Amino acid sequence: MAKGAVMNKLERSQLLEDYNSLKQAEASLPARWYFEDAHYRRELAEIWRKNWIYVCRARDLGDALSYRTVEIGDQNLVVLRDGTGALKAFHNTCRHRGSILCAKRQGRLKSKLIVCPYHQWSYAVNNGRLVKTTSFAEPIGFEKSDYPLFRLAIEEWRGLIFINLDRNATWDAGKLFEREASNLANHPIEEMVTVHEWRKIMDCNWKTFWENFNECLHCPNVHPELSDLVPMYRRRIVDPRDVPGWQDRIGEDDPRYRGGLRTGGETWSMDGSAQGQVIASLTPEDLARGQTYASALPSMFVGGYADHVRIVRLLPLSAERTELVAEWLVTEQAATAEDYDVSQIVDFAILVMEQDLAACELNQRGLHAAPLEHGVLMPEEYHVKNFHNWVRRQLPDDDE
Amino acid sequence: MAKGAVMNKLERSQLLEDYNSLKQAEASLPARWYFEDAHYRRELAEIWRKNWIYVCRARDLGDALSYRTVEIGDQNLVVLRDGTGALKAFHNTCRHRGSILCAKRQGRLKSKLIVCPYHQWSYAVNNGRLVKTTSFAEPIGFEKSDYPLFRLAIEEWRGLIFINLDRNATWDAGKLFEREASNLANHPIEEMVTVHEWRKIMDCNWKTFWENFNECLHCPNVHPELSDLVPMYRRRIVDPRDVPGWQDRIGEDDPRYRGGLRTGGETWSMDGSAQGQVIASLTPEDLARGQTYASALPSMFVGGYADHVRIVRLLPLSAERTELVAEWLVTEQAATAEDYDVSQIVDFAILVMEQDLAACELNQRGLHAAPLEHGVLMPEEYHVKNFHNWVRRQLPDDDE
Amino acid sequence: MAKGAVMNKLERSQLLEDYNSLKQAEASLPARWYFEDAHYRRELAEIWRKNWIYVCRARDLGDALSYRTVEIGDQNLVVLRDGTGALKAFHNTCRHRGSILCAKRQGRLKSKLIVCPYHQWSYAVNNGRLVKTTSFAEPIGFEKSDYPLFRLAIEEWRGLIFINLDRNATWDAGKLFEREASNLANHPIEEMVTVHEWRKIMDCNWKTFWENFNECLHCPNVHPELSDLVPMYRRRIVDPRDVPGWQDRIGEDDPRYRGGLRTGGETWSMDGSAQGQVIASLTPEDLARGQTYASALPSMFVGGYADHVRIVRLLPLSAERTELVAEWLVTEQAATAEDYDVSQIVDFAILVMEQDLAACELNQRGLHAAPLEHGVLMPEEYHVKNFHNWVRRQLPDDDE
């Protein structure tokens, strides 16, 4: 609706109600959920072993027989391509006496068999079936068919690999993203090239990270550089429609109200320039947004920008430690352009992420206060509320 | 009563009974109380969150709007002066989503507001009232008055700041010290200058430290230098009246029997000299004692000497780790005297404390012996018994 | 029975049954027993505090009044010789307030008294009786006879010292070894000289180590050098009689079938040479075996070779950490021979042990897989089955 369009009174009053933010104060999750070990173990079982978890990009995995291992909490898993190149995933555990099968972070199988390094039991890479033991005979009561690898569900979404420790989990790409991904349609994620990876251990609970991700109330003070680039963030909101009266500003070009980057800004980089590598398939609407996010709880989000995509994965290490891995993707053209400096986009995102991590770690430390039962959500934190609802749905019987 | 005064038989026999030491063997605390995590957490709740805990000297805190943070077990707290210079203390936790408010060990607020570094909620420094959020509106059901900082009780005793996590705790300076402090009346603690601070992590339970502090049975072997300086310590006692028959020695000048320092010794320093800086306000009786102790369980003791005061604070880090901080105080005159060498008093106390710490750590390691239910207290350990009684009173329902 | 001896059909069919390996598939121990802390503490109580645990060689302990301390799980113990040289062992804990008595790993008492370094309680080295306190008097209700050191059972087998935290445990040298030790009769263990010691912390449960020790299914791939030296190990077995049909190979000289070392190999050393120091008392049968093992669960095994003996001790540090100490013993003659290079035997065994440790650590990491209830034992793992039976017998009420 363009600015100035005629509305009757009723329409306008409905629209006034029609803004994103929370109208009611909402209790945050119980503080103890962020540090108690018993609750952490429950979340591993109910959340991390039942949802789709991002592993890596399919093209970074390598070709047939390449593998990667990943640890989700205390579960060591192996993701690989079988002999035909199809994706498969298993618990990285031999059925004989429980050894790890693939010891390295990434590598390549020597054949279509996964061979345990301990006693050389061999499993078919395509389905995990036990093909061969190394004993002179099979004992009575032993059937190889009873000892396949523990298989995981594995799926691919636009070149991103997701696994689910619940092998019978249903795959519905439409429900994969809690903050949905349709706005990323014009980013050619599948074909882009990974040009950098950054790994960091955060001293905070994984939920503390997501809460930070899901609001911009903290932006002006925590992210001064980012708030220069995205002027609306100085208003502590993430969408023009977050506040009542937003309709009155429709059509304004002031980036504080229309969203998007500062005048002249093209992308999330140190100087705001896309270095001539704006992705050709992006529409004016895509570019106007400045940044486009989709998040697949509990493990990842994707950010789309004018010249690149950034994927951030997080995995829990313990109740108060979380691993973060960020990947930067650019087009083949940018990746090979002599005058495209990747550090422009890498340095800027690391600057912002380090600021977020420091905030998350402060948040984590304060959650232990004995009289603190839970925090409270403010209007702008409606995405945080959605996240909390999502968490609560996974833990139906947990007493708060 | 002077030596040789006439007493009838009855009086004498009563006096013979009238010595400090324990007459009965007493069971020590259960060995598991020193290392079991569940018991440690109970002590945090029942002892460390309900008693007055020493933080620092009021003059070292700084002037208006200065703050210090301190961790008591898993509780992070902030102690500060408001705009008028009055002392205040709060949980160092924002009521919004639980972030730490003051991130540094010490610092100074920029205004009369405590501003959360995460989302800039602002609290009045004088009472912790929530003054301002940063949201565009307050949601329904949200009243700022419902979200003040969690306030702690804070009091000052002779320039020393104590806090209590139980905000409704009653303050009674007369009951603050379990080993009472009246003998320190002539030490001008309030006006003295802190000239040194020493911090150490001890691998022992906090109670192991207090038991060591409360007896001198260990002195001759653990503290040879100290036992030279305080000859009575070679007798493994801390007071001439600790043994039967002490009345017969009344008036003797032998420091083994009268207490106090060796002949010629003036203070607890490497060479026993007070370097001409004996505190003017001390009486001959004060000086004759050689050292004067007061202890405020569970967190601190004060030692008064001829030329200085030493304050030792301890805070639990875990069941088997404790932080110790020692502060040395001298008069303004000594602090500015060119020929007063502070290392004389600092080095001597560190020598003694390191010896104690080594003993405490040996004690801690041995407590795990499976058949050891508890130790036993000997006559000289009457102050240890008092300490145990104090601990037991705090944990009325604990099964031993 | 020599090859080609006449047997009737019945005898032969009975012999065909008569091979060592398991006929039935057997469930391994529950996977959680290898990492759950509650189960670990149960094993400390039921296994490590009730069985005979190897400490060190008697001749390495030293003469009268020498001591060693050792930690079994969370229990600190002292093993010593009294004034007559007799072996004694106690909890390394003073009965007064629980201090460690002997602070060093090894040392020598100054008298026939064990004197606590904290308050100098003195205990008779020969029986642990409390001889003297340092108090001016004994309190009412205190009898020194009530406070002896907590004594352990201690015994010697062929110069090796074993202790039992259950003081009333019965000693039966014939039952000490789960894999029995009669084949080591001709190794002069008592008189040999310890020429090297190697200490290593393994990131695995202690049972993971024993499973590895008890089978050679892993040998060809994990131990290529060892499988060159002991060709039968390439067949993944440890005894010619492990497989059906072994009788047909009786008398063959091929080391793949007869067992023992490769042709020309003399001992477990880098080049297979015994450097002219074959132990004189060994019989041709002893030498033909190549290696001879005995294991005393849960803490040690002895390996006998042509020119040396190796003793390996393991002690638990936590559910997933175990300490290994290996000792190399040679004859006095070899120890003093100018041309005998100990590194030949030391380097080879460390090579093999490092390979085993890497396998054990892989095994440990994989055991956490959520769907893994337990592994399965294959025919060759009959010694592992015996080990499991032994463990289960110690934990009669544990639910699997």
Side-chain angles (χ1 to χ4, degrees), chain C residues 190-317:
Chain C
E190 298 84 339
E191 286 82 37
M192 293 172 81
V193 180
T194 306
V195 288
H196 195 71
E197 186 178 303
W198 184 70
R199 186 170 180 273
K200 187 87 180 181
I201 306 299
M202 307 184 283
D203 285 326
C204 69
N205 185 272
W206 66 275
K207 299 189 297 297
T208 308
F209 174 90
W210 278 117
E211 294 176 348
N212 173 277
F213 171 77
N214 275 312
E215 48 87 2
C216 218
L217 258 179
H218 69 272
C219 287
N221 291 64
V222 170
H223 303 303
E225 302 84 359
L226 176 58
S227 297
D228 282 345
L229 182 66
V230 187
M232 188 178 60
Y233 286 177
R234 257 195 214 294
R235 296 173 59 214
R236 301 180 181 270
I237 61 175
V238 295
D239 187 302
R241 292 160 298 183
D242 284 356
V243 292
W246 61 270
Q247 301 88 344
D248 298 337
R249 300 286 193 167
I250 291 172
E252 278 195 19
D253 191 44
D254 182 341
R256 291 169 57 231
Y257 295 96
R258 66 158 157 80
L261 306 187
R262 65 170 165 76
T263 305
E266 292 180 299
T267 192
W268 281 38
S269 65
M270 291 306 285
D271 64 5
S273 160
Q275 304 179 68
Q277 295 292 344
V278 170
I279 298 170
S281 52
L282 298 181
T283 65
E285 289 73 21
D286 292 330
L287 295 172
R289 277 193 302 274
Q291 61 285 324
T292 303
Y293 285 109
S295 58
L297 295 177
S299 72
M300 66 94 71
F301 72 79
V302 185
Y305 311 93
D307 60 340
H308 72 284
V309 162
R310 177 164 49 101
I311 300 174
V312 173
R313 181 188 82 179
L314 69 160
L315 295 175
L317 298 173

Side-chain angles (χ1 to χ4, degrees), chain A residues 192-206:
Chain A
M192 293 172 83
V193 181
T194 307
V195 288
H196 195 71
E197 186 178 302
W198 183 69
R199 186 170 180 271
K200 188 86 180 182
I201 307 299
M202 308 184 281
D203 285 328
C204 69
N205 185 271
W206 67 274

Side-chain angles (χ1 to χ4, degrees), chain B residues 182-240:
Chain B
S182 58
N183 278 340
L184 289 164
N186 300 322
H187 281 85
I189 302 177
E190 298 85 338
E191 288 80 37
M192 294 173 81
V193 181
T194 306
V195 288
H196 196 72
E197 186 177 305
W198 184 69
R199 186 170 179 272
K200 188 87 180 181
I201 307 299
M202 308 184 282
D203 285 328
C204 69
N205 184 271
W206 66 275
K207 299 189 296 300
T208 308
F209 174 89
W210 278 118
E211 294 176 348
N212 173 277
F213 171 77
N214 275 312
E215 48 86 2
C216 218
L217 259 180
H218 68 272
C219 286
N221 291 64
V222 170
H223 303 303
E225 301 82 359
L226 176 58
S227 297
D228 282 344
L229 182 66
V230 186
M232 189 178 59
Y233 286 178
R234 255 194 217 295
R235 296 173 59 212
R236 301 179 181 272
I237 61 175
V238 294
D239 187 301

Side-chain angles (χ1 to χ4, degrees), chain C residues 49-65:
Chain C
R49 294 187 199 150
K50 293 188 178 172
N51 281 284
W52 293 92
I53 308 298
Y54 174 62
V55 176
C56 65
R57 300 184 66 213
R59 58 180 285 162
D60 293 342
L61 177 57
D63 55 7
L65 305 185

